[in-house]
Amino acid sequence: MGFLFILLILSGMVLLIFSIKKLTFLKLMLSVFSGLAALLSCDLLFSLFGQNMPLNIYTAVISAAGGIPGVILLTLLKLLTV
């Protein structure tokens, strides 16, 4: 159930991004790299407080597809589930 829910959210985010913005390849890569950099920054920030942001394929895909809003979503989910 959890994997299907994450897959639905991810596909909805990707469709929303592509329908709202006419992204070029360079802008898409910038969004991917900024999302991954924000994910690593959040992991570093959480480690300073004794927590950790789980770095796995799911969080990497969500942050790459969603960019910084995807990382904000993951951070909010992490803070709400702790």
Side-chain angles (χ1 to χ4, degrees):
M1 178 73 180
F3 177 72
L4 181 62
F5 185 68
I6 290 174
L7 189 62
L8 284 173
I9 289 175
L10 179 64
S11 62
M13 285 175 35
V14 169
L15 287 174
L16 185 67
I17 288 170
F18 280 114
S19 66
I20 291 176
K21 298 179 181 179
K22 302 285 186 193
L23 293 178
T24 63
F25 183 73
L26 183 62
K27 287 182 182 179
L28 181 65
M29 287 295 109
L30 181 65
S31 175
V32 167
F33 288 129
S34 66
L36 292 174
L39 179 66
L40 292 175
S41 299
C42 282
D43 181 48
L44 179 65
L45 183 66
F46 275 124
S47 69
L48 292 175
F49 294 108
Q51 298 289 324
N52 65 342
M53 176 73 82
L55 297 177
N56 53 33
I57 190 69
Y58 304 116
T59 57
V61 168
I62 289 172
S63 64
I68 294 177
V71 175
I72 292 171
L73 174 71
L74 287 171
T75 304
L76 289 174
L77 287 173
K78 173 69 177 169
L79 292 175
L80 292 175
T81 59
V82 169

